[in-house]
Amino acid sequence: MQTATETERKYDVPAGFSLPPLAGAAGVSRHGEADTHDLDATYFDTEDLRLARNRRTLRRRTGGEDAGWHLKTPGDGSSRTEHRMPLTDGDDVPAELVAEVRTIVRTRRLLPVARLRTHRVETPLRDADDRTLALVAQDQVCAETGGEEQRWQEIEVELVDGGPEVLDAVEGLLRAAGATPAAGPSKLARALGDRLAPPERSGKKINPVLRYAREQREAVEAEDPGVRAGAAEAVHKMRVATRRLRSTLKTFKGSFDPDRATALKVELKWLADRLGAVRDGQVLGHKLLTVAGEFPEVAAGIRERLDADVARGKEELVAALDSERYLALLDAMDELVDDAEPDDADAPRRARKALRKADRLLDEATADGVDAELHEARKAYKQARYGVEVFAPGVGKPGKRLVKALTGLQDVLGGHQDSVVAREVLRDVARTAPDAFGYGVLYGRQEQVGEATLRELPAAIKASRRKKLRAWLG
């Protein structure tokens, strides 16, 4: 499968529109010889148009220089990413493209939803060195959807070797000649018309708990392609989103259907564990290998152990993302956060309660000096911080400052827990090492890291418990 980035702008034009001279627009010296193409595209989507609603278009097109299967996905600004595959016999969407949209369509069938036939006159815009800066496509479109037919004309301007200034200059000339920016994002959207109309909104202000839960649902779905591609940052962000949503269901359990929430928490834990099997090894590897340089054999042993853990974790994670269980989890998230109508009158109190519980656990842990208790306190502060995050945007600076203070406290506790886990790994790897001296040195240094973080803890606790920071919680 090939991928390419498209940067283009679309314009509606009246019947009989003629392309104006575009020479002189940001380095354009002349029009090249125009090519004519007759394109025939069948667009595929689910019955409820899930791809179109998520700004994806999937088509099988004949004619032109890039005949084949095309999947367009959102990019930055006016850019889009296009995934391309050769033509196949029949209307079965290639499995590789289905995989790209699996989290959107899930178990739903991809069916033909529209047929667009386009007569295209494509004119290259060239500079003084005969480079093609952009292509201007004048399209006469005939769209068939649901037994109905529509016809219109439009213009697309796509960058080739030019920069964004070419698009700006060409747009000025086109608009002066009577073109207007396209009313819709794509030909398909125009063809589907009312079928893509957004659902009616009640006008009621969205509940902050519900808004936060929906943001996490969207983050899980958005990071899926990156996780499949092995991007470490995507693994981290999806894991955080699963934790935030699971924590939200715990803290604000009165805001959601209890049976659905209970079932979803189990599934989110399942997904987070598989993400963690990859992420924890990556983070720990970076921390340990950074300080193991003076002991090459130790570094090699650590790298072998953690690389194996991460590789095994990635294999299990991909298998999880390809499973029916994962698709069911995505459906369960949708059903819970889209159907919920929570009464948030009690929600601030629940966030306050979660924070007080974390305070109590940390006080007990510091008094006992037990690593496992400090770890439990750290997890409790994560839950409390996520609860605070729900309301922080609505209260401005006080909310942001409390989130920042709790994050700082959590980082100190996290640094201590990292040192605990690092020591466990060093001890395990050292058991089979011919010489454990280097491991012992690193173990001692990790003990020092743990002690240093504990010395930072009182100041972090004090900063997070300032009355001014928490006053808005009540």
Side-chain angles (χ1 to χ4, degrees):
M1 178 168 55
Q2 296 179 329
T3 58
T5 299
E6 288 185 341
T7 302
E8 63 183 16
R9 295 182 188 176
K10 300 175 184 289
Y11 304 90
D12 294 330
V13 296
F17 179 86
S18 296
L19 189 67
L22 300 175
V28 176
S29 295
R30 64 183 181 87
H31 292 200
E33 184 176 348
D35 288 327
T36 301
H37 305 285
D38 287 304
L39 313 175
D40 192 342
T42 299
Y43 286 78
F44 292 78
D45 206 331
T46 60
E47 189 173 355
D48 56 353
L49 305 178
R50 294 178 69 89
L51 292 183
R53 296 186 192 282
N54 285 277
R55 298 174 57 211
R56 270 79 171 167
T57 56
L58 173 62
R59 71 189 178 201
R60 181 186 187 278
R61 190 168 78 180
T62 59
E65 296 180 355
D66 63 345
W69 287 93
H70 307 148
L71 169 65
K72 293 187 179 184
T73 59
D76 297 326
S78 59
S79 298
R80 303 192 78 190
T81 300
E82 184 172 89
H83 307 260
R84 301 171 181 168
M85 295 197 68
L87 281 175
T88 57
D89 294 331
D91 287 343
D92 291 333
V93 181
E96 294 89 338
L97 295 182
V98 175
E100 291 290 329
V101 296
R102 192 166 182 261
T103 58
I104 297 174
V105 303
R106 299 172 196 173
T107 58
R108 297 163 181 83
R109 292 182 60 200
L110 288 168
L111 308 167
V113 296
R115 181 183 181 187
L116 273 65
R117 288 172 290 171
T118 303
H119 179 73
R120 169 168 292 180
V121 179
E122 193 170 67
T123 303
L125 304 181
R126 304 194 190 281
D127 65 6
D129 297 324
D130 210 33
R131 292 186 310 151
T132 299
L133 301 181
L135 293 172
V136 179
Q138 298 169 266
D139 291 341
Q140 295 180 351
V141 185
C142 175
E144 300 174 12
T145 55
E148 297 182 358
E149 185 176 284
Q150 303 174 59
R151 294 179 182 271
W152 70 87
Q153 295 183 46
E154 66 178 48
I155 285 181
E156 293 182 5
V157 183
E158 180 180 351
L159 283 183
V160 181
D161 291 326
E165 69 279 359
V166 176
L167 290 179
D168 292 339
V170 169
E171 177 169 305
L173 295 172
L174 290 175
R175 295 186 72 166
T180 57
S186 66
K187 291 181 176 66
L188 177 63
R190 181 166 182 168
L192 293 173
D194 292 342
R195 289 185 64 190
L196 271 181
E200 293 185 8
R201 300 290 183 183
S202 64
K204 184 179 179 181
K205 186 177 180 181
I206 188 169
N207 174 286
V209 174
L210 190 54
R211 182 200 65 238
Y212 189 78
R214 288 176 177 174
E215 288 172 354
Q216 309 321 313
R217 180 267 306 271
E218 290 161 7
V220 170
E221 295 177 351
E223 298 303 329
D224 181 276
V227 173
R228 292 177 185 275
E233 188 64 15
V235 173
H236 170 62
K237 288 182 177 179
M238 183 186 277
R239 185 190 191 191
V240 170
T242 61
R243 284 175 164 177
R244 279 180 166 144
L245 181 53
R246 186 164 172 257
S247 177
T248 300
L249 300 181
K250 286 182 178 180
T251 302
F252 306 104
K253 55 187 177 182
S255 298
F256 300 93
D257 177 272
D259 292 335
R260 286 180 174 179
T262 298
L264 182 56
K265 282 188 291 185
V266 172
E267 297 307 290
L268 289 170
K269 177 67 163 57
W270 166 77
L271 178 58
D273 285 347
R274 274 133 195 87
L275 292 161
V278 177
R279 181 63 180 170
D280 288 344
Q282 292 172 335
V283 172
L284 188 58
H286 175 74
K287 288 181 179 294
L288 283 177
L289 294 175
T290 299
V291 298
E294 63 187 282
F295 303 107
E297 292 184 1
V298 172
I302 293 170
R303 184 178 293 107
E304 181 180 1
R305 157 69 182 272
L306 294 180
D307 283 354
D309 288 348
V310 171
R312 183 168 56 253
K314 285 182 176 179
E315 185 176 334
E316 293 175 355
L317 176 56
V318 171
L321 297 183
D322 286 338
S323 70
E324 295 297 321
R325 183 175 181 177
Y326 175 62
L327 297 183
L329 182 157
L330 297 178
D331 283 340
M333 281 198 301
D334 288 348
E335 291 168 2
L336 187 68
V337 304
D338 287 338
D339 294 346
E341 294 183 2
D343 178 2
D344 66 348
D346 192 44
R349 185 187 69 81
R350 290 186 174 278
R352 191 166 62 245
K353 182 179 177 182
L355 187 51
R356 288 174 178 169
K357 177 183 177 181
D359 291 340
R360 176 176 55 78
L361 289 176
L362 182 54
D363 289 343
E364 293 173 356
T366 53
D368 296 342
V370 177
D371 290 340
E373 291 182 11
L374 287 170
H375 182 46
E376 290 302 312
R378 177 191 177 218
K379 291 193 292 184
Y381 271 111
K382 276 189 179 181
Q383 181 178 344
R385 189 190 104 205
Y386 296 153
V388 170
E389 284 179 350
V390 168
F391 305 102
V395 296
K397 287 184 179 180
K400 290 181 180 179
R401 287 171 180 163
L402 180 54
V403 169
K404 183 178 179 180
L406 293 175
T407 301
L409 174 57
Q410 194 177 306
D411 287 345
V412 172
L413 291 169
H416 182 269
Q417 178 62 17
D418 286 347
S419 75
V420 172
V421 175
R423 278 175 267 163
E424 292 174 354
V425 171
L426 289 168
R427 186 169 52 243
D428 287 346
V429 180
R431 288 194 179 102
T432 57
D435 183 356
F437 175 76
Y439 291 97
V441 172
L442 295 181
Y443 187 97
R445 290 176 183 172
Q446 287 301 317
E447 283 185 321
Q448 293 175 345
V449 169
E451 292 168 359
T453 56
L454 289 181
R455 289 194 293 272
E456 296 174 13
L457 194 52
I461 293 173
K462 183 178 179 180
S464 72
R465 295 187 184 181
R466 290 168 53 199
K467 290 183 178 180
K468 286 184 178 180
L469 284 182
R470 300 189 178 193
W472 62 272
L473 271 177

PDB file of all heavy atoms in Angstrom, residues 366 374 408-409 412-413 415-416 419 444-462:
ATOM      1  N   THR A 366       3.598   7.279  54.091  1.00  0.00           N
ATOM      2  CA  THR A 366       4.822   7.937  54.554  1.00  0.00           C
ATOM      3  C   THR A 366       5.110   7.590  56.014  1.00  0.00           C
ATOM      4  O   THR A 366       6.274   7.497  56.419  1.00  0.00           O
ATOM      5  CB  THR A 366       4.705   9.465  54.396  1.00  0.00           C
ATOM      6  OG1 THR A 366       3.503   9.939  55.023  1.00  0.00           O
ATOM      7  CG2 THR A 366       4.683   9.862  52.930  1.00  0.00           C
ATOM      8  N   LEU A 374       3.167   3.386  49.139  1.00  0.00           N
ATOM      9  CA  LEU A 374       3.434   4.606  48.369  1.00  0.00           C
ATOM     10  C   LEU A 374       2.908   4.459  46.947  1.00  0.00           C
ATOM     11  O   LEU A 374       2.381   5.410  46.355  1.00  0.00           O
ATOM     12  CB  LEU A 374       4.935   4.895  48.351  1.00  0.00           C
ATOM     13  CG  LEU A 374       5.545   5.405  49.662  1.00  0.00           C
ATOM     14  CD1 LEU A 374       7.062   5.409  49.568  1.00  0.00           C
ATOM     15  CD2 LEU A 374       5.027   6.805  49.981  1.00  0.00           C
ATOM     16  N   GLY A 408       2.900  17.340  39.897  1.00  0.00           N
ATOM     17  CA  GLY A 408       4.234  17.354  40.497  1.00  0.00           C
ATOM     18  C   GLY A 408       4.372  16.320  41.597  1.00  0.00           C
ATOM     19  O   GLY A 408       5.391  15.618  41.682  1.00  0.00           O
ATOM     20  N   LEU A 409       3.365  16.204  42.441  1.00  0.00           N
ATOM     21  CA  LEU A 409       3.383  15.201  43.505  1.00  0.00           C
ATOM     22  C   LEU A 409       3.403  13.796  42.910  1.00  0.00           C
ATOM     23  O   LEU A 409       4.158  12.921  43.357  1.00  0.00           O
ATOM     24  CB  LEU A 409       2.163  15.390  44.400  1.00  0.00           C
ATOM     25  CG  LEU A 409       1.934  14.333  45.493  1.00  0.00           C
ATOM     26  CD1 LEU A 409       3.146  14.221  46.407  1.00  0.00           C
ATOM     27  CD2 LEU A 409       0.679  14.668  46.292  1.00  0.00           C
ATOM     28  N   VAL A 412       6.844  12.846  41.638  1.00  0.00           N
ATOM     29  CA  VAL A 412       7.776  12.434  42.690  1.00  0.00           C
ATOM     30  C   VAL A 412       7.500  10.990  43.094  1.00  0.00           C
ATOM     31  O   VAL A 412       8.415  10.162  43.193  1.00  0.00           O
ATOM     32  CB  VAL A 412       7.666  13.373  43.905  1.00  0.00           C
ATOM     33  CG1 VAL A 412       8.503  12.827  45.068  1.00  0.00           C
ATOM     34  CG2 VAL A 412       8.132  14.772  43.543  1.00  0.00           C
ATOM     35  N   LEU A 413       6.235  10.675  43.322  1.00  0.00           N
ATOM     36  CA  LEU A 413       5.873   9.297  43.668  1.00  0.00           C
ATOM     37  C   LEU A 413       6.200   8.342  42.538  1.00  0.00           C
ATOM     38  O   LEU A 413       6.618   7.201  42.765  1.00  0.00           O
ATOM     39  CB  LEU A 413       4.388   9.228  44.012  1.00  0.00           C
ATOM     40  CG  LEU A 413       3.972   9.927  45.310  1.00  0.00           C
ATOM     41  CD1 LEU A 413       2.454  10.026  45.405  1.00  0.00           C
ATOM     42  CD2 LEU A 413       4.534   9.205  46.523  1.00  0.00           C
ATOM     43  N   GLY A 415       8.649   8.728  40.321  1.00  0.00           N
ATOM     44  CA  GLY A 415      10.098   8.526  40.303  1.00  0.00           C
ATOM     45  C   GLY A 415      10.533   7.494  41.322  1.00  0.00           C
ATOM     46  O   GLY A 415      11.424   6.677  41.068  1.00  0.00           O
ATOM     47  N   HIS A 416       9.892   7.515  42.491  1.00  0.00           N
ATOM     48  CA  HIS A 416      10.211   6.523  43.512  1.00  0.00           C
ATOM     49  C   HIS A 416       9.803   5.128  43.056  1.00  0.00           C
ATOM     50  O   HIS A 416      10.578   4.169  43.183  1.00  0.00           O
ATOM     51  CB  HIS A 416       9.497   6.868  44.822  1.00  0.00           C
ATOM     52  CG  HIS A 416       9.815   5.914  45.924  1.00  0.00           C
ATOM     53  ND1 HIS A 416       9.061   4.777  46.165  1.00  0.00           N
ATOM     54  CD2 HIS A 416      10.830   5.884  46.828  1.00  0.00           C
ATOM     55  CE1 HIS A 416       9.586   4.107  47.167  1.00  0.00           C
ATOM     56  NE2 HIS A 416      10.651   4.750  47.603  1.00  0.00           N
ATOM     57  N   SER A 419      12.150   3.629  40.587  1.00  0.00           N
ATOM     58  CA  SER A 419      13.379   3.094  41.188  1.00  0.00           C
ATOM     59  C   SER A 419      13.126   1.714  41.793  1.00  0.00           C
ATOM     60  O   SER A 419      13.997   0.843  41.746  1.00  0.00           O
ATOM     61  CB  SER A 419      13.907   4.055  42.260  1.00  0.00           C
ATOM     62  OG  SER A 419      13.128   3.991  43.452  1.00  0.00           O
ATOM     63  N   GLY A 444      22.475  -0.193  43.785  1.00  0.00           N
ATOM     64  CA  GLY A 444      22.723   0.773  44.845  1.00  0.00           C
ATOM     65  C   GLY A 444      22.366   2.189  44.413  1.00  0.00           C
ATOM     66  O   GLY A 444      21.829   2.977  45.207  1.00  0.00           O
ATOM     67  N   ARG A 445      22.639   2.507  43.179  1.00  0.00           N
ATOM     68  CA  ARG A 445      22.304   3.848  42.689  1.00  0.00           C
ATOM     69  C   ARG A 445      20.782   4.041  42.616  1.00  0.00           C
ATOM     70  O   ARG A 445      20.279   5.136  42.888  1.00  0.00           O
ATOM     71  CB  ARG A 445      22.936   4.075  41.311  1.00  0.00           C
ATOM     72  CG  ARG A 445      24.456   4.204  41.371  1.00  0.00           C
ATOM     73  CD  ARG A 445      25.062   4.338  39.990  1.00  0.00           C
ATOM     74  NE  ARG A 445      26.523   4.399  40.074  1.00  0.00           N
ATOM     75  CZ  ARG A 445      27.324   4.371  39.010  1.00  0.00           C
ATOM     76  NH1 ARG A 445      26.805   4.292  37.795  1.00  0.00           N
ATOM     77  NH2 ARG A 445      28.640   4.438  39.165  1.00  0.00           N
ATOM     78  N   GLN A 446      20.074   2.993  42.251  1.00  0.00           N
ATOM     79  CA  GLN A 446      18.614   3.101  42.223  1.00  0.00           C
ATOM     80  C   GLN A 446      18.051   3.231  43.636  1.00  0.00           C
ATOM     81  O   GLN A 446      17.031   3.905  43.847  1.00  0.00           O
ATOM     82  CB  GLN A 446      18.001   1.889  41.508  1.00  0.00           C
ATOM     83  CG  GLN A 446      18.200   1.901  40.005  1.00  0.00           C
ATOM     84  CD  GLN A 446      17.595   3.130  39.352  1.00  0.00           C
ATOM     85  OE1 GLN A 446      16.481   3.536  39.690  1.00  0.00           O
ATOM     86  NE2 GLN A 446      18.326   3.735  38.426  1.00  0.00           N
ATOM     87  N   GLU A 447      18.712   2.615  44.607  1.00  0.00           N
ATOM     88  CA  GLU A 447      18.302   2.839  45.994  1.00  0.00           C
ATOM     89  C   GLU A 447      18.463   4.306  46.364  1.00  0.00           C
ATOM     90  O   GLU A 447      17.612   4.893  47.042  1.00  0.00           O
ATOM     91  CB  GLU A 447      19.146   1.975  46.943  1.00  0.00           C
ATOM     92  CG  GLU A 447      18.752   0.510  46.976  1.00  0.00           C
ATOM     93  CD  GLU A 447      19.525  -0.259  48.004  1.00  0.00           C
ATOM     94  OE1 GLU A 447      20.747  -0.004  48.170  1.00  0.00           O
ATOM     95  OE2 GLU A 447      18.937  -1.134  48.689  1.00  0.00           O
ATOM     96  N   GLN A 448      19.568   4.907  45.908  1.00  0.00           N
ATOM     97  CA  GLN A 448      19.801   6.321  46.176  1.00  0.00           C
ATOM     98  C   GLN A 448      18.746   7.192  45.506  1.00  0.00           C
ATOM     99  O   GLN A 448      18.297   8.194  46.078  1.00  0.00           O
ATOM    100  CB  GLN A 448      21.198   6.719  45.705  1.00  0.00           C
ATOM    101  CG  GLN A 448      22.324   6.070  46.498  1.00  0.00           C
ATOM    102  CD  GLN A 448      23.696   6.388  45.934  1.00  0.00           C
ATOM    103  OE1 GLN A 448      23.831   6.866  44.802  1.00  0.00           O
ATOM    104  NE2 GLN A 448      24.735   6.102  46.711  1.00  0.00           N
ATOM    105  N   VAL A 449      18.333   6.799  44.280  1.00  0.00           N
ATOM    106  CA  VAL A 449      17.271   7.538  43.583  1.00  0.00           C
ATOM    107  C   VAL A 449      15.980   7.490  44.398  1.00  0.00           C
ATOM    108  O   VAL A 449      15.287   8.502  44.575  1.00  0.00           O
ATOM    109  CB  VAL A 449      17.037   6.968  42.166  1.00  0.00           C
ATOM    110  CG1 VAL A 449      15.769   7.556  41.548  1.00  0.00           C
ATOM    111  CG2 VAL A 449      18.232   7.251  41.273  1.00  0.00           C
ATOM    112  N   GLY A 450      15.652   6.294  44.902  1.00  0.00           N
ATOM    113  CA  GLY A 450      14.455   6.154  45.706  1.00  0.00           C
ATOM    114  C   GLY A 450      14.493   7.010  46.956  1.00  0.00           C
ATOM    115  O   GLY A 450      13.508   7.662  47.321  1.00  0.00           O
ATOM    116  N   GLU A 451      15.648   7.055  47.614  1.00  0.00           N
ATOM    117  CA  GLU A 451      15.790   7.866  48.814  1.00  0.00           C
ATOM    118  C   GLU A 451      15.700   9.356  48.485  1.00  0.00           C
ATOM    119  O   GLU A 451      15.105  10.136  49.232  1.00  0.00           O
ATOM    120  CB  GLU A 451      17.125   7.550  49.490  1.00  0.00           C
ATOM    121  CG  GLU A 451      17.189   6.136  50.073  1.00  0.00           C
ATOM    122  CD  GLU A 451      18.600   5.743  50.483  1.00  0.00           C
ATOM    123  OE1 GLU A 451      19.519   6.571  50.286  1.00  0.00           O
ATOM    124  OE2 GLU A 451      18.788   4.615  50.990  1.00  0.00           O
ATOM    125  N   ALA A 452      16.287   9.750  47.347  1.00  0.00           N
ATOM    126  CA  ALA A 452      16.258  11.167  46.949  1.00  0.00           C
ATOM    127  C   ALA A 452      14.833  11.629  46.668  1.00  0.00           C
ATOM    128  O   ALA A 452      14.441  12.745  47.039  1.00  0.00           O
ATOM    129  CB  ALA A 452      17.134  11.378  45.711  1.00  0.00           C
ATOM    130  N   THR A 453      14.051  10.759  46.023  1.00  0.00           N
ATOM    131  CA  THR A 453      12.664  11.152  45.740  1.00  0.00           C
ATOM    132  C   THR A 453      11.856  11.285  47.023  1.00  0.00           C
ATOM    133  O   THR A 453      11.000  12.166  47.128  1.00  0.00           O
ATOM    134  CB  THR A 453      11.981  10.137  44.798  1.00  0.00           C
ATOM    135  OG1 THR A 453      12.060   8.829  45.376  1.00  0.00           O
ATOM    136  CG2 THR A 453      12.643  10.135  43.426  1.00  0.00           C
ATOM    137  N   LEU A 454      12.144  10.440  47.997  1.00  0.00           N
ATOM    138  CA  LEU A 454      11.426  10.547  49.261  1.00  0.00           C
ATOM    139  C   LEU A 454      11.752  11.859  49.975  1.00  0.00           C
ATOM    140  O   LEU A 454      10.907  12.415  50.683  1.00  0.00           O
ATOM    141  CB  LEU A 454      11.762   9.354  50.166  1.00  0.00           C
ATOM    142  CG  LEU A 454      11.196   7.995  49.738  1.00  0.00           C
ATOM    143  CD1 LEU A 454      11.591   6.907  50.723  1.00  0.00           C
ATOM    144  CD2 LEU A 454       9.676   8.065  49.603  1.00  0.00           C
ATOM    145  N   ARG A 455      12.983  12.345  49.790  1.00  0.00           N
ATOM    146  CA  ARG A 455      13.341  13.633  50.392  1.00  0.00           C
ATOM    147  C   ARG A 455      12.605  14.791  49.722  1.00  0.00           C
ATOM    148  O   ARG A 455      12.393  15.843  50.343  1.00  0.00           O
ATOM    149  CB  ARG A 455      14.853  13.857  50.306  1.00  0.00           C
ATOM    150  CG  ARG A 455      15.660  12.953  51.248  1.00  0.00           C
ATOM    151  CD  ARG A 455      17.084  13.427  51.376  1.00  0.00           C
ATOM    152  NE  ARG A 455      17.837  13.295  50.137  1.00  0.00           N
ATOM    153  CZ  ARG A 455      18.507  12.217  49.772  1.00  0.00           C
ATOM    154  NH1 ARG A 455      18.520  11.149  50.570  1.00  0.00           N
ATOM    155  NH2 ARG A 455      19.177  12.182  48.638  1.00  0.00           N
ATOM    156  N   GLU A 456      12.201  14.603  48.456  1.00  0.00           N
ATOM    157  CA  GLU A 456      11.456  15.634  47.738  1.00  0.00           C
ATOM    158  C   GLU A 456       9.962  15.612  48.089  1.00  0.00           C
ATOM    159  O   GLU A 456       9.234  16.569  47.819  1.00  0.00           O
ATOM    160  CB  GLU A 456      11.581  15.423  46.220  1.00  0.00           C
ATOM    161  CG  GLU A 456      12.992  15.566  45.688  1.00  0.00           C
ATOM    162  CD  GLU A 456      13.067  15.204  44.213  1.00  0.00           C
ATOM    163  OE1 GLU A 456      11.984  15.083  43.586  1.00  0.00           O
ATOM    164  OE2 GLU A 456      14.168  15.026  43.688  1.00  0.00           O
ATOM    165  N   LEU A 457       9.531  14.518  48.702  1.00  0.00           N
ATOM    166  CA  LEU A 457       8.106  14.300  48.909  1.00  0.00           C
ATOM    167  C   LEU A 457       7.437  15.333  49.819  1.00  0.00           C
ATOM    168  O   LEU A 457       6.350  15.832  49.485  1.00  0.00           O
ATOM    169  CB  LEU A 457       7.887  12.880  49.436  1.00  0.00           C
ATOM    170  CG  LEU A 457       6.463  12.339  49.412  1.00  0.00           C
ATOM    171  CD1 LEU A 457       5.842  12.478  48.027  1.00  0.00           C
ATOM    172  CD2 LEU A 457       6.453  10.873  49.844  1.00  0.00           C
ATOM    173  N   PRO A 458       8.023  15.707  50.967  1.00  0.00           N
ATOM    174  CA  PRO A 458       7.324  16.671  51.840  1.00  0.00           C
ATOM    175  C   PRO A 458       7.001  17.986  51.149  1.00  0.00           C
ATOM    176  O   PRO A 458       5.899  18.530  51.326  1.00  0.00           O
ATOM    177  CB  PRO A 458       8.318  16.864  52.998  1.00  0.00           C
ATOM    178  CG  PRO A 458       9.097  15.589  53.043  1.00  0.00           C
ATOM    179  CD  PRO A 458       9.246  15.179  51.603  1.00  0.00           C
ATOM    180  N   ALA A 459       7.934  18.502  50.345  1.00  0.00           N
ATOM    181  CA  ALA A 459       7.684  19.776  49.656  1.00  0.00           C
ATOM    182  C   ALA A 459       6.578  19.620  48.620  1.00  0.00           C
ATOM    183  O   ALA A 459       5.728  20.518  48.457  1.00  0.00           O
ATOM    184  CB  ALA A 459       8.965  20.268  48.984  1.00  0.00           C
ATOM    185  N   ALA A 460       6.555  18.463  47.936  1.00  0.00           N
ATOM    186  CA  ALA A 460       5.515  18.226  46.927  1.00  0.00           C
ATOM    187  C   ALA A 460       4.142  18.084  47.589  1.00  0.00           C
ATOM    188  O   ALA A 460       3.126  18.558  47.061  1.00  0.00           O
ATOM    189  CB  ALA A 460       5.839  16.973  46.110  1.00  0.00           C
ATOM    190  N   ILE A 461       4.107  17.432  48.750  1.00  0.00           N
ATOM    191  CA  ILE A 461       2.847  17.292  49.486  1.00  0.00           C
ATOM    192  C   ILE A 461       2.340  18.667  49.915  1.00  0.00           C
ATOM    193  O   ILE A 461       1.160  19.001  49.743  1.00  0.00           O
ATOM    194  CB  ILE A 461       3.034  16.378  50.714  1.00  0.00           C
ATOM    195  CG1 ILE A 461       3.328  14.937  50.276  1.00  0.00           C
ATOM    196  CG2 ILE A 461       1.794  16.419  51.608  1.00  0.00           C
ATOM    197  CD1 ILE A 461       3.690  14.020  51.431  1.00  0.00           C
ATOM    198  N   LYS A 462       3.228  19.456  50.485  1.00  0.00           N
ATOM    199  CA  LYS A 462       2.852  20.788  50.948  1.00  0.00           C
ATOM    200  C   LYS A 462       2.309  21.646  49.809  1.00  0.00           C
ATOM    201  O   LYS A 462       1.284  22.332  49.957  1.00  0.00           O
ATOM    202  CB  LYS A 462       4.053  21.469  51.593  1.00  0.00           C
ATOM    203  CG  LYS A 462       3.744  22.838  52.181  1.00  0.00           C
ATOM    204  CD  LYS A 462       4.975  23.438  52.847  1.00  0.00           C
ATOM    205  CE  LYS A 462       4.666  24.821  53.418  1.00  0.00           C
ATOM    206  NZ  LYS A 462       5.879  25.417  54.066  1.00  0.00           N
TER     207      LYS A 462
END
